[in-house]
Amino acid sequence: MTQLSIAELSKDLRVAIERLEQKEGLESVGVVVRVGDGVAWVHGLHKAGYSEVLKIETANGVVEAFALNLMEDEIGAVLLGTDSEVSAGDTVRLSGSVLKVPVGPELLGRVVDPLGRPLDGAGPIKTKQFGLVEREAIGVMDRKSVFEPLMTGVMAIDAMFPIGRGQRELIIGDRQTGKTALTIDTMINQGKQKTGVVNVYVAIGQKLSKVARLIDRLKAEGVMDQTIVVATGPSDPASLLYLAPYAATAMGEYFRDNKQHALMIYDDLTKHAVAYRQMSLLLRRPPGREAYPGDVFYLHSRLLERSAKLSDKLGGGSLTALPIIETQAGDISAYIPTNVISITDGQIFLETDLFYQGIRPAISAGLSVSRVGGAAQTKAVKSVSSHLKLGLSQFRELASFAQFGSDLDDATKAQIDRGQRLTELLKQHQYQPASIWEQVASIFAVTNGLFDNVLPAKIKDAQTALLTRLWKDHKPAMQELEKGDKPTDATIKALTDVAKAAAKGFESK
């Protein structure tokens, strides 16, 4: 597709443009010059604004598009749908507004597309309000420091890389390493713990069969009623994939701005960047590194900056983001991964090697970090997990040397033994998020040496016995511990006594 001047256009197009100029002018009316690959090039519309919705009048009705390229002679508009009905010569009019999507509690429990249209066959959605798809992020003075925990129910995360409400924590790793599984467990935990946090899950170019399984699971766990799912599939136009995370964020911002708390899950931003690259190349924007346009960093920064913990003056609501990025062969130094790492407040890196060793969730203790959540970590979990990350990182380093069979001193052997038990403890089945008291009791037993004589293979059995006895014999104390406060001396004594008793049935001979 080549750039054409007005003089080079066909006679019919020139006549159409002249008629518009004489009748209505080209300030707010234009004409399609050429169309293809989901992009329409429009002559006229001199008053058009960036991202403004354009209405293209075709033979079969009105087709909507939004302006992305604003040039001197023409506009590059991305179609919201297929380009089969649009043809050169069609009249284009300004709508006078940028893209908006329906927002509000009416969307809870529903599956919608990026424009808010229902996909679940449960009837139309009638909302009272609309939110801007693109919106400026909240300023620094209107934010508050992150101090409330957002419990994921995944012991390895809550203990070592805690997440606070209003934080942006990246989940990164190769395909099929359990990235989405972590976010599903986090959503389930919000329902299990009755936190009142609204889940907004956006699938960007994901297989629709995968999205359907996820929805079925959320329904089975009773969490779908507090969840909004924004879904796009691989066959959807790039424009919808591009809009999906922005539209979903607008839906989440409604709850944040109304003194509530929302959790955003972007699955995944790698596909989002690819969709934006496709649109940019079709719009003839200059390609840069890996053919991405120069503003691909801004693409994600303006999206993720919208997640925040609001000040008390604005109601104290929060929007927490868990963006997902897919790496190639574990390369976190690639272009898009490094971009998003520098935008977020930490990352949870999932290692393929750990995953295939059966260590699931396959979280790398050395490459993962939370730059904010420590301030929001519950006192109960913090009191037992302060040395957990360092101990686990050192163990994995020592274990690589120990495999050569060299003589090790007693202190190193003890550290390796403790690390093996920690590794086994932090293994967790999917769809089984752990509550605060369960995490505290389990970590306390291992880090204080109460399970040192338990065979590593029996650690999970000993953990189950410990939790069963604690809930049976010390239920009031565990309910108190669930509130997140630092355990009392009496609670610590109960944990110690029960852990010793639970360990006896699983000790090595």
Side-chain angles (χ1 to χ4, degrees):
M1 200 184 291
T2 57
Q3 296 283 22
L4 298 174
S5 67
I6 296 298
E8 293 173 299
L9 293 175
S10 68
K11 183 180 178 182
D12 290 340
L13 277 175
R14 288 204 305 273
V15 169
I17 291 169
E18 287 168 3
R19 282 177 182 168
L20 277 175
E21 285 180 324
Q22 292 170 2
K23 186 179 179 182
E24 302 182 64
L26 292 175
E27 298 297 309
S28 57
V29 183
V31 63
V32 175
V33 175
R34 59 194 185 282
V35 64
D37 298 315
V39 173
W41 297 91
V42 182
H43 177 73
L45 297 180
H46 301 317
K47 288 186 177 180
Y50 181 79
S51 200
E52 183 172 353
V53 176
L54 311 178
K55 295 187 179 293
I56 304 172
E57 299 170 357
T58 71
N60 298 317
V62 174
V63 173
E64 290 191 337
F66 59 99
L68 271 190
N69 268 28
L70 301 177
M71 296 180 290
E72 189 175 353
D73 292 326
E74 61 184 1
I75 287 174
V78 180
L79 299 172
L80 294 171
T82 62
D83 55 16
S84 57
E85 294 179 357
V86 181
S87 58
D90 288 342
T91 302
V92 188
R93 299 181 187 275
L94 294 180
S95 67
S97 66
V98 292
L99 278 170
K100 294 180 181 179
V101 288
V103 298
E106 297 86 357
L107 288 165
L108 290 173
R110 301 300 300 269
V111 184
V112 298
D113 73 357
L115 299 177
R117 299 174 297 205
L119 297 174
D120 51 11
I125 301 171
K126 296 179 181 178
T127 61
K128 297 175 183 176
Q129 295 187 43
F130 288 82
L132 294 175
V133 170
E134 288 265 13
R135 178 180 165 190
E136 194 174 340
I138 294 289
V140 174
M141 299 305 292
D142 291 325
R143 297 178 183 232
K144 192 175 183 179
S145 60
V146 174
F147 69 95
E148 298 169 294
L150 185 125
M151 300 298 290
T152 66
V154 180
M155 205 183 310
I157 295 177
D158 291 337
M160 295 190 291
F161 317 105
I163 299 169
R165 291 182 182 178
Q167 188 176 342
R168 301 154 301 175
E169 185 78 0
L170 174 63
I171 298 174
I172 185 168
D174 286 5
R175 64 185 303 273
Q176 298 294 319
T177 51
K179 301 185 295 298
T180 303
L182 285 182
T183 62
I184 295 173
D185 282 356
T186 304
M187 288 192 282
I188 291 171
N189 196 53
Q190 305 316 307
K192 182 182 175 184
Q193 301 297 323
K194 295 181 171 60
T195 59
V197 175
V198 172
N199 304 311
V200 184
Y201 175 87
V202 51
I204 307 167
Q206 298 290 334
K207 288 181 181 176
L208 296 181
S209 58
K210 174 186 173 181
V211 178
R213 286 196 301 272
L214 180 144
I215 293 165
D216 288 342
R217 190 73 210 196
L218 293 178
K219 286 179 179 176
E221 299 288 345
V223 191
M224 192 62 196
D225 289 343
Q226 64 184 74
T227 303
I228 301 170
V229 176
V230 180
T232 57
S235 60
D236 285 327
S239 57
L240 290 185
L241 270 64
Y242 162 74
L243 290 173
Y246 295 106
T249 304
M251 295 170 190
E253 281 176 331
Y254 169 85
F255 298 98
R256 181 199 70 185
D257 297 341
N258 283 276
K259 304 181 183 180
Q260 293 175 266
H261 305 280
L263 168 66
M264 291 295 317
I265 294 163
Y266 304 104
D267 191 5
D268 63 85
L269 291 187
T270 308
K271 291 185 178 67
H272 184 232
V274 169
Y276 184 62
R277 176 173 63 184
Q278 178 183 330
M279 283 170 41
S280 297
L281 293 174
L282 290 170
L283 287 166
R284 298 286 182 254
R285 292 183 177 180
R289 181 174 165 187
E290 294 180 27
Y292 287 104
D295 64 342
V296 74
F297 179 91
Y298 181 55
L299 172 80
H300 289 149
S301 64
R302 72 178 190 264
L303 170 70
L304 294 170
E305 285 294 336
R306 291 163 72 176
S307 297
K309 168 67 182 171
L310 297 190
S311 64
D312 293 336
K313 183 182 176 183
L314 292 179
S318 70
L319 186 66
T320 310
L322 293 181
I324 295 174
I325 286 287
E326 185 180 293
T327 55
Q328 304 288 334
D331 183 14
I332 60 171
S333 63
Y335 186 35
I336 298 300
T338 49
N339 272 355
V340 184
I341 284 172
S342 61
I343 296 166
T344 50
D345 307 311
Q347 71 275 351
I348 294 164
F349 180 54
L350 301 178
E351 285 192 70
T352 309
D353 290 345
L354 293 179
F355 185 84
Y356 289 119
Q357 288 170 26
I359 301 171
R360 301 173 187 176
I363 296 171
S364 166
L367 291 173
S368 302
V369 66
S370 176
R371 303 188 188 100
V372 177
Q377 193 173 23
T378 56
K379 293 177 182 176
V381 176
K382 200 170 192 175
S383 67
V384 297
S385 63
S386 54
H387 302 296
L388 193 60
K389 184 185 176 188
L390 181 63
L392 205 58
S393 299
Q394 289 176 338
F395 156 69
R396 287 186 182 158
E397 290 294 324
L398 289 169
S400 61
F401 288 105
Q403 67 183 343
F404 297 113
S406 56
D407 291 333
L408 301 172
D409 58 81
D410 291 340
T412 304
K413 284 180 182 177
Q415 197 167 1
I416 289 174
D417 288 343
R418 178 72 58 82
Q420 288 175 334
R421 287 162 177 78
L422 276 176
T423 301
E424 289 297 322
L425 177 75
L426 294 177
K427 289 180 181 178
Q428 196 170 334
H429 292 297
Q430 194 177 354
Y431 311 128
Q432 294 180 11
S435 57
I436 294 172
W437 76 267
E438 290 173 333
Q439 295 186 30
V440 173
S442 304
I443 296 168
F444 178 86
V446 174
T447 55
N448 286 277
L450 302 174
F451 281 4
D452 277 1
N453 293 324
V454 176
L455 288 166
K458 295 288 185 180
I459 285 290
K460 297 304 286 185
D461 295 331
Q463 180 194 14
T464 303
L466 166 69
L467 298 178
T468 303
R469 292 188 189 193
L470 281 172
W471 192 248
K472 182 182 176 184
D473 301 335
H474 302 277
K475 188 174 180 179
M478 295 305 105
Q479 288 174 329
E480 193 64 30
L481 193 59
E482 183 65 20
K483 294 177 182 177
D485 295 327
K486 192 174 180 179
T488 62
D489 292 340
T491 304
I492 289 173
K493 185 178 184 305
L495 290 173
T496 305
D497 293 343
V498 175
K500 286 178 179 177
K504 285 181 180 176
F506 304 98
E507 291 178 348
S508 54
K509 305 300 181 192

